[in-house]
Amino acid sequence: MARSLHAPVGKTNSAIVANAPLASIGLLFTAVLFEISGALMMCAGAPSLAVLHAFAAFIVLAIVGSAHQLLPVLFGSPPVPLPATVAVSAGFVVGFVLLILGFFGFSTFAWAIAALLPAAIAWVATLCRGLIFARTERATAALAGVSTAAFLAATCCAAYMLFSLANGNGFPDTLARTHGSLMVLVFIATFIVALSYRFVPMFALAHNTGYGRRLWQYVLLLAYVGAAAGLFARVAFGLAALALVVLGAQHLKTIQARIRKQVDVSLRYAAVGWCFAIAATTGLAVEGESARIVPAVLVLGLLGWITLTIFGYSMKIVGFLSWQFAKNKDERRKLTPLSSAVPPMLNRVTLAILAVGVMGCAVGFAILPALATPAAYVFLLGSLLYGVLIVRICTPYIRVVEAV
Amino acid sequence: MSIISIDNRGLSPPEPMIRILAACEELSDGDRIEALMDRRPLFLFPELDERGLRYTCDEREGGGYLLTVEKT
């Protein structure tokens, strides 16, 4: 054949050209900085809404950064232009900083709305464009569509509450509950469950064992929608816990059927996170939304399930994007294999510390208050180690680019 | 030299990746895999690179991609 057979990675794919890997890597690193700041604020006893929204910023930025890179490829839909990606990301970053400052008593809520609302609307618009034009994965696209609708509804609730706060008024607790439930249960959880359906077999390199139907994904979605709406909430959470167990068993079966010798590092995080998801949802089914259980469940759900899963998947995505970035710069250079880019001991220690931190915080918030602060420090240590870990993963590839 | 043709169209991830990696095990020097794909197999590239295989992935007119993998 006349053409070069060495990988012109990224040069023939408009999605990748339009969405430079470096922008998404930068956004994912920024997301991790928000996560570390959230862990730090938790140790320092900062206002709980500031802590909560630092973690929310981490989650939203990680989803935005990953979605812009992966969804056009997954769905075969048109790529998002780079300027749009940068503008949306900048809006979220600035908006969340102003929002968090507002919870510390600064008069920044009005500015936060001005930054966050357009960014959220623009992101939903770009996502909807991608979902509407999806050529493949229509079922995943449909789930992502429901998740996006929940994000929009939660954003509308947030905008109303921020307007109210900016005018010096309070807001009804029911609206805060609706905002939180829509954001966590319907938007983030659905998004993660829908993507896990593809990521687990892809990262494990395994046939889709046990993936014949998506029934339990829809059951989980319906249960979370019901719980978010407050309809038979405990029954809904019970059903959701059952769905998580069944989906977890399916993922486990897939991982067991993998071609790789070792379980991929990203999946270790996701597996631990999934256990926390089952624990959090079961807790809500058994205890209901009592004042004692909700903070512990938030820790298990946000820090345990969602944060650990995003950490795992981001590790894979950041590694891949860095590899791709280096390959784009010098396609003939031999690069460090991605499979050996993650330092195994540091990775195991980080995951163990994070898991211990999450469990300690949950127990501390629920039954043993004296444990909460030390456990928060343990979680902070785990978060810092994760930061070190992803820097270590990227370094060999960035060094190659510097050498070029 | 032989050419292994694989039609991965209509398959969901990671089936195309698994089929190509399985075919890579069969390659001798100078052999080539030509695979039709619905998507650009992004996560496959580092795997091929790690195995020292040369590859290209070109967009096809009318949609999809042609992935070529060669052992040299």
Side-chain angles (χ1 to χ4, degrees), chain A residues 94-112:
Chain A
V94 172
F96 272 114
V97 168
L98 293 169
L99 182 64
I100 292 164
L101 287 175
F103 290 122
F104 275 102
F106 293 91
S107 306
T108 50
F109 283 129
W111 293 104

Side-chain angles (χ1 to χ4, degrees), chain B residues 1-63:
Chain B
M1 183 189 114
S2 62
I3 296 176
I4 302 172
S5 297
I6 305 173
D7 189 350
N8 280 327
R9 290 174 298 178
L11 295 177
S12 299
E15 296 299 325
M17 190 166 163
I18 290 171
R19 293 176 78 184
I20 289 166
L21 289 177
C24 288
E25 300 293 320
E26 315 280 314
L27 287 181
S28 303
D29 280 351
D31 288 354
R32 195 167 68 207
I33 297 168
E34 288 185 356
L36 295 174
M37 318 285 288
D38 286 331
R39 302 175 182 80
R40 190 174 167 80
L42 291 179
F43 287 103
L44 177 66
F45 298 143
E47 300 282 342
L48 297 175
D49 209 55
E50 197 170 333
R51 287 162 174 77
L53 299 166
R54 295 158 68 87
Y55 55 93
T56 186
C57 187
D58 296 324
E59 207 162 352
R60 297 169 68 232
E61 280 182 27

Side-chain angles (χ1 to χ4, degrees), chain A residues 120-314:
Chain A
I121 291 168
W123 186 62
V124 167
T126 56
L127 208 58
C128 286
R129 176 173 162 265
L131 298 177
I132 289 165
F133 291 106
R135 290 201 304 259
T136 53
E137 297 283 339
R138 289 184 190 278
T140 307
L143 280 170
V146 173
S147 165
T148 308
F151 175 79
L152 194 59
T155 303
C156 291
C157 293
Y160 177 82
M161 288 189 289
L162 281 178
F163 273 119
S164 184
L165 282 170
N167 292 326
N169 304 319
F171 50 79
D173 284 346
T174 48
L175 195 58
R177 185 202 175 276
T178 305
H179 164 71
S181 303
L182 282 172
M183 203 55 105
V184 176
L185 297 177
V186 190
F187 166 54
I188 301 167
T190 306
F191 213 93
I192 285 179
V193 168
L195 284 186
S196 294
Y197 181 81
R198 278 286 162 249
F199 280 178
V200 172
M202 275 168 66
F203 294 166
L205 263 188
H207 293 285
N208 288 2
T209 313
Y211 283 77
R213 286 177 295 175
R214 290 174 180 256
L215 174 68
W216 289 99
Q217 286 190 46
Y218 299 133
V219 170
L220 182 69
L221 174 63
L222 276 177
Y224 274 158
V225 169
L231 298 170
F232 307 105
R234 286 178 67 175
V235 175
F237 280 123
L239 194 60
L242 177 66
L244 283 168
V245 169
V246 174
L247 288 169
Q250 285 184 350
H251 287 317
L252 202 60
K253 205 172 164 189
T254 302
I255 290 170
Q256 283 170 342
R258 70 186 182 277
I259 290 173
R260 290 190 199 284
K261 284 181 187 161
Q262 301 282 327
V263 176
D264 191 89
V265 287
S266 60
L267 298 179
R268 292 170 196 257
Y269 280 74
V272 175
W274 206 272
C275 295
F276 285 130
I278 293 169
T281 312
T282 306
L284 285 167
V286 173
E287 284 275 330
E289 294 176 47
S290 67
R292 190 170 69 96
I293 198 82
V294 166
V297 161
L298 274 176
V299 166
L300 290 172
L302 281 180
L303 307 190
W305 179 23
I306 294 164
T307 300
L308 286 191
T309 307
I310 289 177
F311 270 2
Y313 292 163
S314 294

